[in-house]
Amino acid sequence: MRATVIHASRDVRVQEVPDPVIRRPTDAVVRVVLSCVCGTDLWAYRGVADFEPGQRIGHEFVGVVEDVGADVVGCAAGDLVVVPFVWSDGECGYCAEGLTTSCERGGFWGTQGSDGGQGEAVRVPYADGTLVRLPNEAASDRRLLTALLTLSDVLGTGHHGAVGAGAGPGTTVAVVGDGAVGLCGVLAAKRLGAERIITLGRHSARTDIARSFGATDVVPERGEEAVEAVRELTRGRGVPAVIEAVGTAQSLWTAVQITRDGGSIGCVGVPHGSNTGLDLNDVFERNVALRGGVAPVRTYIPQLLPDVLDGVIDPSPVFDLTVGLDGVPGGYKAMDERTALKVLVSY
């Protein structure tokens, strides 16, 4: 089969790899129908995140079950499934608490030794704890299937940020970042009942999507000017609930500065670099809470799935470029150069 492999900075290739097979009775083999390129993938592509040359890449996908191990009871061959970006056994203490990303036997797609989601098929460990079945008829509805793909990562991650920030009925929420996760944070905050949503972003095509998702205000400035703009919108007090969806020192600093005393920040942007630029006095003296982290999307999927199926929320607009598997290297380039927001891979 063919899959995407990263060899060096800005060197991803689609090449032949061994077909996945059942290795343990809890495994399943899933044929990928849709996958995508994540902003997190770009950190490896740019040489910022560590990887081993020849490593598979990609972690967001939906597909059809082709084979299952003898112990798998939750799905069968022919089932359409969405696959969270972390596999989990569904049985350990962390899974019982809903923190599936800390599963004692879990792991991340696209790490050394595991299959990547940007390929024709994937071996899924602990299928019963990981896979979530979807209505098979969704496979024939491309818009719906594309929306369901976001459940594997970005929608659940945006929701995690909104929950960590404390978004709820009547709240004011600010979202730092206009990437796919930030946009899904806007959608999630709106779904949770936020009354006012301030998006910090400079790209009009993206902020237009943010407005369609529920953003009421857009702040295109950066740095001190952005902080001043948000303060002006909030009568100088700042925002009680902030979603940080980038992961850089500047974005975290901005999130802290625009948070109201006693407010909360839902941090879901993957941090990069050891120097976050965060002065703990900035949060300690103003009683600002930092929450968030790696989103346990397997726990959130059952909560979000009905609203996606019913069309209450439609995150599919975050995909603005579609490629086939052979076009994945070009998709990375497009996202790296910001000519694409998020690349959908169709098989």
Side-chain angles (χ1 to χ4, degrees):
M1 58 163 269
R2 295 183 303 154
T4 306
V5 177
I6 183 166
H7 290 273
S9 174
R10 292 181 167 78
D11 181 8
V12 294
R13 310 173 198 171
V14 177
Q15 61 188 61
E16 294 290 326
V17 300
D19 291 337
V21 296
I22 300 295
R23 296 181 186 174
R24 299 183 178 88
T26 52
D27 287 352
V29 172
V30 174
R31 174 175 54 84
V32 179
V33 175
L34 285 180
S35 67
C36 55
V37 181
C38 181
T40 304
D41 296 330
L42 293 181
W43 295 115
Y45 181 76
R46 293 166 175 162
V48 176
D50 293 334
F51 61 87
E52 292 292 328
Q55 183 175 313
R56 298 275 295 277
I57 195 167
H59 56 264
E60 301 168 277
F61 57 104
V62 295
V64 175
V65 176
E66 289 203 326
D67 195 10
V68 297
D71 292 348
V72 176
V73 298
C75 61
D79 285 344
L80 181 68
V81 293
V82 60
V83 189
F85 68 87
V86 173
W87 71 79
S88 52
D89 63 16
E91 299 176 347
C92 73
Y94 287 115
C95 287
E97 295 170 5
L99 193 60
T100 51
T101 49
S102 292
C103 176
E104 295 169 359
R105 294 186 286 185
F108 292 74
W109 309 115
T111 53
Q112 186 66 19
S114 73
D115 291 344
Q118 294 161 12
E120 293 179 322
V122 174
R123 180 183 73 89
V124 178
Y126 304 107
D128 283 340
T130 302
L131 300 178
V132 179
R133 286 188 295 175
L134 302 171
N136 281 349
E137 56 268 24
S140 61
D141 185 335
R142 180 49 62 97
R143 183 212 58 78
L144 176 58
L145 192 63
T146 301
L148 292 168
L149 173 61
T150 66
L151 292 168
S152 66
D153 185 349
V154 287
L155 180 57
T157 297
H159 177 73
H160 191 51
V163 170
T171 54
T172 295
V173 179
V175 181
V176 181
D178 59 4
V181 170
L183 294 175
C184 285
V186 171
L187 193 63
K190 181 67 175 179
R191 175 182 173 274
L192 291 172
E195 182 175 314
R196 189 178 193 186
I197 303 172
I198 304 168
T199 293
L200 280 72
R202 297 183 298 164
H203 308 277
S204 59
R206 300 181 180 194
T207 55
D208 286 348
I209 296 173
R211 288 191 183 278
S212 73
F213 281 179
T216 55
D217 303 270
V218 171
V219 172
E221 293 87 356
R222 301 186 73 178
E224 293 280 3
E225 292 182 351
V227 174
E228 291 176 7
V230 172
R231 293 275 175 180
E232 184 175 344
L233 288 171
T234 56
R235 298 182 180 178
R237 294 181 176 179
V239 182
V242 177
I243 301 171
E244 192 287 304
V246 183
T248 62
Q250 183 183 54
S251 63
L252 182 56
W253 177 87
T254 300
V256 170
Q257 298 305 313
I258 66 174
T259 303
R260 180 179 179 175
D261 288 14
S264 298
I265 303 172
C267 298
V268 289
V270 179
H272 292 279
S274 58
N275 181 14
T276 64
L278 176 63
D279 182 347
L280 285 178
N281 285 323
D282 286 343
V283 297
F284 180 82
E285 293 175 358
R286 296 192 292 116
N287 284 280
V288 172
L290 292 175
R291 300 193 178 99
V294 185
V297 299
R298 178 61 181 83
T299 298
Y300 293 139
I301 289 174
Q303 303 171 32
L304 299 169
L305 177 58
D307 281 355
V308 177
L309 290 173
D310 293 341
V312 175
I313 55 175
D314 178 14
S316 64
V318 299
F319 298 101
D320 61 347
L321 176 64
T322 300
V323 299
L325 184 56
D326 288 334
V328 169
Y332 272 85
K333 186 174 186 292
M335 285 182 62
D336 181 44
E337 296 176 349
R338 290 186 174 272
T339 58
L341 167 59
K342 189 168 180 65
V343 174
L344 181 71
V345 184
S346 180
Y347 296 76

